[in-house]
Amino acid sequence: MSSCLVDRCKPLAALAAVLLAACGGETGSEDAVTDTTDAPTDVATDDSDAAETSCASDDDCDDGIFCNGEEICGSSGVCEAGTSRDCDDDDPCTMDACDESEASCGNLPLDEDGDGYVAAEGPAGESCGGNDCDDLASDVHPDADPECDGVDHDCSGAADGDEDGDGHLSLAVCAGTGDDCDDHNEDAHPGVTPGCESFDADCDGDIDDDEDGDGHESVACLGDDCDDANGSVHPGATETCDAVDQNCDGSVLDASGADDDSDTVLDISCGGTDCNDLNQYVHPGALEDACDSVDNDCDGDEVDGVADDDDDDYLDILCPSGTDCDDTHAFRYPGAVEACDGYDDDCDGSWADGGADDDSDTVLDSACGGTDCDDADPATHAGAADGDCDLVDRDCNGSTDEFIDDDGDGWIDIACAGVITDFGTYAGLGDCMDWNAGVSPGATEICDTMDQDCDGS
């Protein structure tokens, strides 16, 4: 018998024997193989002696073995081996083997894993009519026990322990490893974003449209529970003195002691911000408009607002007992340091103290940003009269004296002639026209109507 025949028939015959033995005692499967024939027999089919046997006819060469084919007597009078029987019926849903005991081919229903259940599909996905969903695993068939390992052992169409196929093992069936609270609903498992379902979609133990389990659906689900994460908050709950609307009526002020002065601001003792729940005019946001030394707006300062706008702790002078002469600047109040700025910083009625007007000419010193160029001389400041022929810039305009030599011709103005004696050789003479540099004593007289040399002619 050829090696091809031996290699092929041995595993098939063995499979057939297992199948037939299993089917004889198996129950609960409509597609179990029926024991209608003996299993094909794997018989030794060695034809090695045939080639050495002399013969006169084919009968002389017959070795009595069916599966290795029909031997013939060759033309040289020597027996020739036959060709192994081809039992392939071209059906991918059968297991093919030569049955030596029956001298015929056996083609049994496909059951490669030998679990007694015919395969549902062939090697290439062909429909074989069986119900074994995995014909390569003997622990997978319709009557196998579930094992909570994510494999569909019982061929139910879903992995064992995950009947709904949502990727989560059943909490009830797979103790210790499962987390799916409803293994018959693929929309219910941990990780689901809760919506308004009437079941526990995220497996947190609460119905999704009533997460806090207080019997009231969330307002997000068109219910009346204003806080579905707090079981003590729902319509009909007892309102307590805190900042929570327990009864979902839209107000936190309807509890006893929450707003005794009815100023719509929760009392500070209830977690609110009303620092005086006996006075409706005292609460955050109230006007601090009275000189009453009361903290009307609950900011911790009793003299803010009109009473002390600059928060320097001195009441405004508009208040009966106020002494702050400037309630818009925190650094101006009685006793403040007088700055060289032209303002009455210490509220003593004068801005000129503190080096701002040392010469008391009522003009702010230039060092303080004023226009008094000499704060030691009350006669010198912006707007002072200039022209007393003393070489001093009295009006602080940058010029020493308008009447000395305005035209810059080197001759003293006639108004100062004889008064100034240290102005060179011309101190005793006077410039008769100090606005024209071409006119002065000693100038050349020309033929016109002007007295160029100031000689009176």
Side-chain angles (χ1 to χ4, degrees):
M1 186 175 189
S2 70
S3 60
C4 175
L5 182 61
V6 172
D7 291 342
R8 181 178 180 186
C9 291
K10 279 186 177 181
L12 292 178
L15 281 173
V18 172
L19 285 172
L20 292 175
C23 293
E26 182 63 52
T27 60
S29 172
E30 296 178 358
D31 294 312
V33 179
T34 304
D35 185 9
T36 57
T37 181
D38 293 334
T41 303
D42 183 15
V43 179
T45 56
D46 187 1
D47 261 351
S48 60
D49 293 337
E52 302 175 359
T53 303
S54 299
C55 59
S57 66
D58 291 342
D59 290 340
D60 295 335
C61 298
D62 186 2
D63 61 1
I65 300 174
F66 173 77
C67 290
N68 65 358
E70 184 176 352
E71 296 79 16
I72 62 174
C73 184
S75 59
S76 60
V78 177
C79 291
E80 297 178 3
T83 301
S84 298
R85 306 286 181 180
D86 183 6
C87 293
D88 188 358
D89 61 358
D90 294 325
D91 184 353
C93 292
T94 61
M95 296 185 298
D96 306 318
C98 180
D99 186 353
E100 188 65 38
S101 65
E102 295 292 331
S104 64
C105 286
N107 306 104
L108 301 177
L110 188 63
D111 181 16
E112 292 191 77
D113 56 11
D115 59 7
Y117 292 84
V118 175
E121 294 183 350
E126 305 88 349
S127 176
C128 293
N131 60 1
D132 191 343
C133 55
D134 186 351
D135 202 38
L136 298 178
S138 61
D139 60 346
V140 176
H141 54 77
D143 292 319
D145 294 327
E147 297 184 19
C148 287
D149 57 1
V151 176
D152 182 14
H153 286 275
D154 58 2
C155 294
S156 66
D160 290 354
D162 183 17
E163 291 296 325
D164 54 14
D166 58 10
H168 291 261
L169 296 178
S170 170
L171 182 64
V173 175
C174 304
T177 60
D179 60 0
D180 194 344
C181 57
D182 186 349
D183 202 37
H184 298 285
N185 185 350
E186 63 181 353
D187 296 322
H189 58 77
V192 169
T193 299
C196 289
E197 297 87 357
S198 57
F199 55 87
D200 182 11
D202 58 358
C203 293
D204 67 350
D206 295 312
I207 304 301
D208 290 347
D209 58 3
D210 180 18
E211 284 292 326
D212 56 13
D214 58 8
H216 291 262
E217 294 182 358
S218 168
V219 293
C221 299
L222 303 182
D224 58 3
D225 193 343
C226 56
D227 186 351
D228 202 35
N230 189 335
S232 63
V233 175
H234 55 78
T238 301
E239 193 74 71
T240 59
C241 181
D242 55 19
V244 177
D245 179 18
Q246 274 89 7
N247 59 9
C248 294
D249 65 352
S251 174
V252 298
L253 304 174
D254 47 349
S256 176
D259 184 23
D260 287 336
D261 57 7
S262 300
D263 57 5
T264 70
V265 180
L266 188 65
D267 184 28
I268 198 169
S269 64
C270 296
T273 56
D274 192 348
C275 58
N276 187 341
D277 206 34
L278 301 178
N279 187 337
Q280 63 178 326
Y281 301 107
V282 176
H283 56 76
L287 292 176
E288 194 76 78
D289 59 354
C291 299
D292 55 4
S293 297
V294 175
D295 183 13
N296 301 92
D297 56 5
C298 295
D299 66 351
D301 190 350
E302 297 178 348
V303 291
D304 54 351
V306 174
D308 184 20
D309 279 336
D310 57 9
D311 293 322
D312 58 6
D313 293 330
Y314 284 85
L315 289 177
D316 185 40
I317 199 169
L318 296 176
C319 293
S321 59
T323 57
D324 193 347
C325 57
D326 187 346
D327 205 32
T328 62
H329 293 83
F331 50 83
R332 294 176 190 156
Y333 52 83
V337 176
E338 189 72 75
C340 180
D341 57 5
Y343 293 96
D344 181 16
D345 298 294
D346 57 5
C347 295
D348 64 353
S350 173
W351 55 264
D353 49 350
D357 185 23
D358 286 337
D359 57 9
S360 302
D361 58 5
T362 70
V363 179
L364 186 65
D365 184 24
S366 60
C368 298
T371 58
D372 192 347
C373 57
D374 186 351
D375 205 35
D377 183 1
T380 300
H381 55 77
D386 203 357
D388 54 4
C389 301
D390 58 1
L391 298 179
V392 176
D393 181 16
R394 296 290 178 185
D395 58 2
C396 297
N397 69 347
S399 176
T400 57
D401 200 316
E402 287 85 347
F403 300 105
I404 298 296
D405 183 16
D406 281 341
D407 55 11
D409 59 4
W411 291 85
I412 298 174
D413 183 48
I414 197 169
C416 297
V419 177
I420 300 177
T421 59
D422 56 354
F423 201 72
T425 58
Y426 310 113
L429 301 176
D431 190 347
C432 60
M433 192 179 291
D434 203 32
W435 60 89
N436 189 334
V439 177
S440 63
T444 301
E445 190 75 69
I446 61 175
C447 184
D448 60 10
T449 59
M450 185 177 294
D451 181 16
Q452 273 88 5
D453 57 4
C454 293
D455 62 357
S457 173

